[in-house]
Amino acid sequence: MELDKIKRLKNAYLKLSSSTLKERNEALLRIAEDLVDAKEDIFTENGKDVEEAKKNIGEAVIKRLKFDEAKLKSSIDGIKDVVKLPDPIGKTLEKRELDDSFILERKSFPIGVICMIFEARPDALIQIVSLCLKSGNAVVLKGGKEAKRSNRAIFETIKNALDKTSLGSDFIYLIESHEEVSEILKLDKYIDLVIPRGSNSFVRYVMDNTRIPVLGHADGICSIYVDESADLNMAVRVCLDSKTQYSAACNAVETILVNKKIAKEFLPLLKKAFDESKVVIHASDDVLSIIDAERADEADFNKEFLGFECALKIVDDVKSAIEHINSHGSHHTDAIITKSEENKNLFFSLVDSADVFANCSTRFADGYRFGLGAEVGISTSKIHARGPVGLSGLMSYKWLLSGNGEIVKDYADGLKSFHHKDLV
């Protein structure tokens, strides 16, 4: 790791944060164009990563690791969506007249220098750079070791593209080794925020080994509760999509809870659909009295399977489902399938998760699908940003006060008084 380059990121972020929207959008479009031009080289390097990973890595990681035409198209579409978004820098959030012509404003500004540590998923690098560029943040990138060649190829393509623009590429920096991560975590003087994506143990390691603020999520233990009033065909479709559309994602469902009043009717329908898609069910004993499945142990209800497996349990009612989710889930994304507005509202109110859905797939928990253009990750924190973290999650703010020689003594002595008139 080159410490001088890390130190220069602060100045690079200040330059980027004062750039025009036009400059940043033009740079994004240049990146999109150059990624397409360099796709064959990127695919070649990704192929090497995939072949090596197949020797000792599970299928879930391989799916995330693979970067093909479909993922390139999705990445390019994401960049273009980010271009369409309004400028997040300098947005007036509050404006107040404290006294005559004494104006206070709260305006949005970038966080500064962000360190993004993410899984072996090359398309994530593109999303992260796009959002950091648009939001005016400098970024240190560290991808999963399994994607080392892919990340390097994509990073060099992006760096070369940026060097053709007025912004340059000083605001992005790639590190590749675990040792460099340990060093980065000590640099609280130069790094403003760390966003780790990965296992619970890795996120905990980051939190325990840095004084830099940390934002992110660990596990994606997502649940669906099928209520007694649910449309059963809808419930099957939603559960199937939530589990199989992309089972390696953190927003794929891992636990399905079924109301006891519909269990005998619903479980055979779900079993048939899951069997056809080769989904393995780990079920509680009461479920096993209705359908054939693997017997679940308690650990299965605290597990992120990241594959074609799920845990299945019968519950008494919506309150029991909520209690289970809050106790066993990871506060990521949870859904209810119901026709009852009362139960929906109770679920929305009491499930303590970043994303809470009704009558739709958990897979919608995504920055692109939320209209954020892209995301740097999903946050289960309650401070600063929660859920898919897009442009707004990468912004902080400043208080800007413009006066005419005002001094506190005049107000303390009663010579002047505040009238605090909101202007926005």
Side-chain angles (χ1 to χ4, degrees), residues 153-309:
I154 291 171
F155 178 83
E156 289 299 328
T157 300
I158 291 174
K159 184 178 184 301
N160 291 336
L162 288 169
D163 285 335
K164 299 172 188 174
T165 73
S166 60
L167 300 179
S169 62
D170 286 347
F171 65 90
I172 61 172
Y173 183 65
L174 179 69
I175 61 175
E176 297 184 317
S177 70
H178 179 73
E179 292 72 26
E180 288 176 303
V181 172
S182 298
E183 292 178 46
I184 281 285
L185 295 180
K186 299 173 185 175
L187 301 180
D188 53 293
K189 184 177 179 181
Y190 306 107
I191 308 292
D192 297 297
L193 180 68
V194 178
I195 305 179
R197 291 166 36 159
S199 68
N200 188 291
S201 59
F202 173 69
V203 174
R204 177 52 54 192
Y205 167 81
V206 171
M207 291 178 173
D208 291 344
N209 287 276
T210 189
R211 291 188 296 182
I212 305 168
V214 178
L215 176 72
H217 82 280
D219 295 329
I221 303 173
C222 305
S223 300
I224 292 177
Y225 165 59
V226 183
D227 190 35
E228 61 184 286
S229 67
D231 178 318
L232 300 190
N233 289 326
M234 174 199 289
V236 170
R237 290 183 71 247
V238 170
C239 289
L240 189 64
D241 183 85
S242 298
K243 180 72 267 181
T244 65
Q245 196 275 329
Y246 187 42
S247 63
C250 59
N251 55 17
V253 70
E254 307 294 8
T255 298
I256 298 173
L257 306 171
V258 180
N259 187 286
K260 64 181 182 181
K261 293 181 180 178
I262 60 163
K264 288 184 179 179
E265 184 179 1
F266 175 69
L267 289 176
L269 298 176
L270 184 67
K271 165 74 171 170
K272 181 176 184 293
F274 273 14
D275 281 351
E276 289 172 355
S277 294
K278 297 182 170 54
V279 176
V280 176
I281 297 172
H282 301 266
S284 56
D285 287 342
D286 47 6
V287 172
L288 293 175
S289 67
I290 302 172
I291 60 171
D292 291 329
E294 301 284 335
R295 175 169 273 103
D297 56 32
E298 189 61 26
D300 288 323
F301 294 99
N302 299 285
K303 186 173 182 179
E304 186 177 18
F305 292 100
L306 295 174
F308 276 41
E309 297 180 76

Side-chain angles (χ1 to χ4, degrees), residues 200 219-223 254-257 297-304 311 313 315 320-334 351-353:
N200 188 291
D219 295 329
I221 303 173
C222 305
S223 300
E254 307 294 8
T255 298
I256 298 173
L257 306 171
D297 56 32
E298 189 61 26
D300 288 323
F301 294 99
N302 299 285
K303 186 173 182 179
E304 186 177 18
K313 183 178 183 178
V315 293
S320 300
I322 292 167
E323 182 179 351
H324 177 97
I325 290 167
N326 287 340
S327 299
H328 296 268
S330 60
H331 311 291
H332 189 298
T333 301
D334 300 288
V351 169
D352 189 21
S353 297

Side-chain angles (χ1 to χ4, degrees), residues 384-418:
H384 174 63
R386 198 178 193 196
V389 181
L391 286 180
S392 63
L394 298 179
M395 305 305 294
S396 184
Y397 55 81
K398 295 179 184 179
W399 290 101
L400 308 173
L401 184 59
S402 300
N404 299 280
E406 286 82 359
I407 59 173
V408 169
K409 188 175 186 303
D410 288 343
Y411 293 89
D413 291 347
L415 300 176
K416 290 185 174 184
S417 61
F418 297 112

